[in-house]
Amino acid sequence: SMYASISMAFGNNEGDPFEVAELVEWIERLEDIGVDRVGLADTTAQATPDDVRDVYTAVQRERGDRRVPEAHLHCTPQTQEALVDAALTADCRDFDAALGGLGGCQFAKGPESNVSTLSLARQCRARGLVSDLPDDSLEELDRRARSLASGY
């Protein structure tokens, strides 16, 4: 399995023009060379829930019934739910996530992190989507990951 992520899939911090058709072309180019999982990344952590929903909806309108790209979102604990909900509403079902929401991107502004695995599992379960990740194990792993990271 090969995974590729397209950076700044929801716009860029330079204010350059953004074309969904060009994004779709890149998804298809990657698939043509054997990439079987493509992610759309909010590298600069500037996407709003409307941006996420609109981009995913437009991409799928262009691609029809082909596989929906994955989501690699940068967020804060306060923005994660709305950003993930926007992607879920637009039929995205695959997310990059990290224990404790740790990590992020050097291009993101402010205290943005990766999507928290624990919060994502709870949010999917609340929507009736299957999540076989048990909360008790995730809570312990989440706590341990944050504890280890606080030592650095």
Side-chain angles (χ1 to χ4, degrees):
S1 174
M2 189 182 313
Y3 174 77
S5 182
I6 299 175
S7 296
M8 295 184 277
F10 303 96
N12 62 74
N13 56 0
E14 302 297 325
D16 294 331
F18 176 78
E19 298 288 331
V20 169
E22 185 176 4
L23 180 59
V24 169
E25 284 178 30
W26 277 104
I27 294 168
E28 291 173 355
R29 283 182 190 176
L30 290 166
E31 291 172 342
D32 288 346
I33 63 167
V35 174
D36 54 353
R37 294 172 42 234
V38 176
L40 303 183
D42 179 24
T43 316
T44 57
Q46 65 187 36
T48 66
D50 286 344
D51 294 334
V52 171
R53 186 192 63 247
D54 292 349
V55 166
Y56 269 97
T57 299
V59 164
Q60 285 313 106
R61 187 172 37 249
E62 294 281 326
R63 291 176 44 82
D65 62 356
R66 287 184 278 178
R67 181 183 173 110
V68 177
E70 299 181 22
H72 181 95
L73 304 170
H74 290 122
C75 57
T76 65
Q78 296 76 25
T79 63
Q80 176 175 323
E81 185 173 346
L83 290 168
V84 168
D85 188 62
L88 288 169
T89 298
D91 294 328
C92 177
R93 294 295 182 265
D94 296 301
F95 293 83
D96 290 338
L99 290 171
L102 299 176
C105 179
Q106 67 270 25
F107 302 110
K109 297 176 182 169
E112 283 79 7
S113 65
N114 287 312
V115 168
S116 161
T117 305
L118 176 61
S119 297
L120 176 64
R122 288 177 175 165
Q123 191 169 354
C124 289
R125 204 173 300 117
R127 272 183 161 250
L129 302 172
V130 175
S131 173
D132 57 359
L133 301 170
D135 270 2
D136 55 347
S137 297
L138 277 179
E139 286 173 2
E140 174 62 17
L141 290 170
D142 190 79
R143 184 192 61 72
R144 290 175 66 191
R146 285 184 284 112
S147 175
L148 286 171
S150 69
Y152 291 97

